Each structure stands twice: as C-alpha cells, then as structure tokens.
Amino acid sequence: MDTKRKLEILADAAKYDASCASSGAARKDSTGSKGVGSTGGSGICHSYTPDGRCVSLLKVLMTNACLYDCHYCINRRSSNVTRARFTPEEVVKLTLDFYKRNYIEGLFLSSGIIRSADYTMELVIEVARKLREEHQFRGYIHLKTIPEASQALIALAGRYADRISINVELPSQQSLDTLAPEKNLARTEEAMGHIREKIDERHAEKRGPDTPKPAPFATGQSTQMLVGADASTDAVILGCADKLYTVHRLRRVYYSAFSPIPEPSAILPLKAPPLIREHRLYQADWLLRFYDFKVEEIASAAEPNLDLALDPKLSWALRNRERFPVDVNRAPREMLLRIPGLGVRNVERIVSARRFTRLRLADLLQLRLQLKKLMPFIITVDHHPARMGLDSDSLRARFLPPPEQIELDFEAPPKPAASDFSSVRSGEL
Amino acid sequence: MRTIVIEPDYEAWRNSARRLLAEGVPPDEVLWSEDAQEASLFTGEDPHVEPVTGNPIKVPPAFLDMARSAAAHTDTRRWGMLYRVLWRLTLGGERHLLSMATDGDVREIQNWCKAVGRDIHKMHAFVRFRLVGVNADTGREQFVAWFEPDYRIVRLSASFFRKRFAGMDWSILTNYECAHWDGMQIHFTAGVPRGSAPNQDALDDLWRTYYQNIFNPARVKISAMQSEMPKKYWKNLPEAPLIAGLIAQSAGRVKGMLETPERPAKSAPKNEYLKMLHDMNRSEPPENKKPPQP
Ligand code: SF4
C-alpha cells in the first residue's frame, strides 16, 4: 500500500477526534538550527474544511487496527473498514513535507490499540522522537495517550510532545460499559492525575535552588467528550468537564457531537449530529472557564439540559431577572461579566473607560456592542430601562431565533431520514 | 495649513510627527499626503519641516505599537488620525486617552490595527510554499510562495516566517514587496507580478488527499468555513478547488451511511492485554461505576 492510500485511510480514521488543540505550547523556534518549526501563542488554522473545522495539525492514526470495540468509533474491531499502518518514517516525512509548505502547525498523532497499550505507545513515541531528535523539528506535537500505558512511556511521550491527551469520550462508567466496554473512567482519571503532576512539576513557578530542573514535559493536557451517543444530560457532561478542569487542570475539554460513521454498530444506531447542543456546550464551557459561572447555575438538577434556543448566558439572565438591570458605571467587574451580550474584552474596556468618563449608550455603540440585546439589562447615564420590561414574559420571546430554527429536534428518532441532515445544516450556527 | 508628504510607512510618519510635535503644530493645521503631486494641488507651501531639537517627547509604548500596525493599513486618513491622537496624548493633555476605547479616534485606530492584525494572521496561515530547488553550495531546500495581502504587512509578518522556517531558504512574493531569507538574514525587494511565483508543488496532491479525508460530510457548516477562510484566499490555496465537490457529495455520503446495515458486536480476540483489561474492569470497585454527580 502506498503512502497516499494509507493517508486516505488513516486521516479518515482520525477525523472524529475533535481534541486537536495546537495552542498553549511553550515558545520555541528553529532559529539557529537546521530544522524547521515554531510554537507559542495560539495555534494557526491553515485551512478550513466545509464542516467548518480548523485544519491546523496533520491529524492521523499510526494504525486504524484496534483491539477495542468502542461502538461510536469507525476503527473498532467489529467494523469492516480497510486497515492500514504507517511506518514511523512515513509519518515523519509527511509531517516535515507538509510543514515546510506551511500547510500545518505540526502533528497530532493517535492510534488504534494493537497488541498492548505499551506496544502502541512505543509506536507513537518513536515518530515524535525521530522528529525532535533526528530532524530538530520544533513545531507542535500532540500525542494521544493510553491510560493503561506505563508511567515511563507517558513520561517519554510528554517529553517530546507539547500537548498530550486522553479522551474521556463518555462522562459516566455506565455509558462506557455499554458503548466502550474496554474503557474505564477511573483509570483515565488516574492517568490524568499523573500527567497533571508531571505538568505541575515541570512548570512550577518557584523551584528551590537545589532542586534539579525536571525533565521536559508537555505544557498541557486536553480531552474530548462525545455528545449525543449516550443519554447523559448536559449537567452530567458539564459536571464531568468542571471536575477535569478543577481537579486535573485540563487546558481544554472538547465536545464532539456524535456523528454518523460508515460501518454503524447495532449497539449505537446513527442519528443526526446534535450540532446546536454541541455549540451550546462550548458556550457553557466558556462561561465556566472565563466568566466565573458554576455548573449548577447553567444546568441544574431541575433543568439538566441547556436551552437549545438561547445561549446559556442569556438564558441564565432571563432566569435571574431580579439581578438586572446592572449599572455599567458602577457594577463590579463580576457582575458586568454576567450581562448578556458583553464579552470579557468589552468588560475590560468598560472598566478602563469608566474611570475617566460616565458611560452613555453612544459610548457602548463605539465599542460596537449590540445595543438591542444589552438594553433591557443595563443602566447608563442616559438609559434606565423599566423594570416592567424585564419582568414581562415577552422578554424571552424577544430573544428567540426565528421559528424554523427552534423547531429542530435533535432528540430525533433513532433513524432519521437523510433530509433531517439538511435541516440540521440549515440550522447552521 | 501645512502639507506633509511622506512615504507610506511608519518610520516616515514618525519622523515628521516628531518634528511637528516639537514645533507644537496642532493636528488641524496639517494635511498629510502620500503623494507629492496630489499634495501640490492643495497648497503651494514648502512641505519641508525644519528639524527641531528639544526635550524628547514621551508617549506610551502602547501607542507606538498601535501606530506601527495602523501605519500598515491603506486608509489615507490614518496619518492625520495618528498625529491627532499623538497630539491629544501629549500636548493635548489627555494622557489617559488610550484607556478610552469609547473615544472615536482611538476606536478608529484600533479598528485599523485589528484589520491589519487579521491580515497578518491570515498571511501566516495561508502562505503556501512551493519547492523550487536545492542550493548546490549549502544543500538547503529553496521555497517560494505567492501571497496577496490586503495591507502593507510583509515586513510585519516576516519575523514569524524567519523563526519558523530557519532551516530552509524561502522567498515570499507579493505585488508590492517581497521578503527573502537565506539562513543568515532577511532582505526585502520590490513587488512582482503573480506570474513570478510557481503555482504548484509536487506535494499539493498529497495535501489534497489529506484535506479530502479529514472532512466530515455529516456536519457541513459552510458559513463557518467561509467566515474564517473567505473566498478571496481560495485562488492561492491548492485545496480550495475540492470544496465544491466535497459539499455536493456530502448528502449522498451521509445517506449511504444511514443505509449501511448495522454490524453486530464482535467478541474479543485472544489477546493477553485485552484479557487483563477485562479482568481489571470486572474487579473495579463499585463506587467507580457511579456517574459523576452534576
Ligand atoms: S480505542 Fe476505541 S475509540 Fe480508540 S480507535 Fe480503538 S475503537 Fe476507536
């Protein structure tokens, strides 16, 4: 099999993994070396495919042969796809050739599990080792890790990689037992805990004068959770994400709408990918990380799923009307962050400008804010909305998107017609 | 009214602005022009400003960064606007001006900076190098790229390429300025027409293979793609000709998946490692099996 045919198979096999971050690496570059590559700052998207996804890294599997039987995955052992396997040299050459043409930021290498966790990890690590040691490659390397691999191999992977990751895939062991019987949440979390320790050790701010410099290690870890493959609610998914952020300090949790695959499994019937739900989860995740929201405020036990029609911040504001309107000239920063339609950047601008001037609506227009969305929630020198407006039931209706969009029902019957997919597309976000 | 004719670059503006400020010339008494002929239509005065020595004028470093990036924009009002904000920050006594994103002048400059920043970012992303040969003396591979930036950003983006591609020789050609790296230094030459750069590379085909196979036909989101990769860039991207076909085939491909008979689970093959996993899973303490509480 030639490299081109392998690339077809092993890129196709890797495309369902959305956790392909290429940012957050330590600053390094190829200055003074014979090689190429630089990292630092946010990653660059070198292209976009018509699914709207960023193409940043060469994302391939070492092999798509796999011992496991994860029913959402095209590579599971019960699937009938053509199997292929790259040699380390082939992946090294592809990475360098693509990189030198500025097609990519680096490599995201993962693999189906063959023989054993350690055997597979060794294959993946060998590629990274060659790139770093034989070719002085300083570009981004993201390696997928197997929780059951030995500590020594995980340390070695982290030494060559900028980012390492283990996918949680599903937020509860019950779901894994049904859909990914070889996977185990407790072992995944344990491995994440070990990785966190190594990251902390490597990047500790203060180190005693006698403590030797620890071996190099990746700067962060991330993961992916599938959305819509099992019955988990948004509250469970966000609760799991929150735990990963706080306990294991993950850099990013990616949410990936379960999408149809060739070779479907009898245990997991295909359905339309819940793209809007995925989008709302990303918004909610943003609120957890940058806006000081708590999971219970966004998805509670009483209402465990996000409102698909409204963004979660607006939805929270409508449920907590007594906290509004907020005076943008006086309110503390934390409260400004809770105003629908106001992002972190503009909150900073407001806080900085209001030290010198008393803000009017015209000032907010200068910031190119959407006044229509903001007005019911804010007070400025020249604007005091009536409490009535906030209390009236028509307020929610005012923010709802046009009806054809909210009619989309993602909890669709297990076997939708193909036309359902085009309606999903028309509901593009 | 004074007319100042400058080369359209940051250094030229800074030199003139420094002199005008030293003389205390208010912004509404200066007409800025990039074009000597056009400028002479408006005024017969000598545009030359005498250099004045005096106390150096202090401005916030953030303003200089802004000015450097806004200078790369093509809006002809930028020179006057930059001088006005410089004047307000110093002689005008509005030292806090840059903290006021709500100020119209500051906002305008920030918008130019944003446009220029985006253009630089897209240049870093969408330049495509083509291999043209190997230097016989040094053995270094030589690459050439063609790019069409909206603004005058070649110099602002060159250091990124130098750091990233130190180990190869490269030239980036644009219609107004070109940058070249030989492993030792970067130098700049005048712009060239598009035909001067090769428009393909032997690797493009493999890259298209990758692009095609990394696309998921079950989640087409064309507007998301186009907002990040506007059509104006497509003509220089080797993968772009595939886009229309990928979109057209996607519905059929999804239909095919939905019509494929579902496959039953397959029992585990004989394998030591799998057996160990299954044993571990069975012996896992029951509290690990509970879903996390929201
Ligand atoms: S381990 Fe599971 S998810 Fe990973 S390749 Fe194998 S079957 Fe797919």
Side-chain angles (χ1 to χ4, degrees), chain A residues 61 66 68-70 72-73 75-76 111-113 169 183:
Chain A
L61 299 191
C66 191
Y68 288 25
D69 214 14
C70 309
Y72 46 78
C73 177
N75 307 314
R76 69 191 186 283
S111 183
I113 296 165
E169 305 290 16
K183 295 203 172 178

Side-chain angles (χ1 to χ4, degrees), chain B residues 166-218:
Chain B
M168 62 193 221
D169 290 352
W170 52 260
S171 293
I172 300 173
L173 314 182
T174 81
N175 51 16
Y176 83 93
E177 191 171 36
C178 306
H180 314 270
W181 166 254
D182 59 4
M184 305 299 283
Q185 58 182 5
I186 289 195
H187 66 278
F188 298 95
T189 56
V192 293
R194 183 178 182 187
S196 321
N199 61 4
Q200 56 183 355
D201 184 287
L203 254 291
D204 285 349
D205 190 42
L206 215 45
W207 168 241
R208 279 189 287 266
T209 300
Y210 177 66
Y211 182 82
Q212 205 161 353
N213 285 286
I214 206 71
F215 161 64
N216 182 350

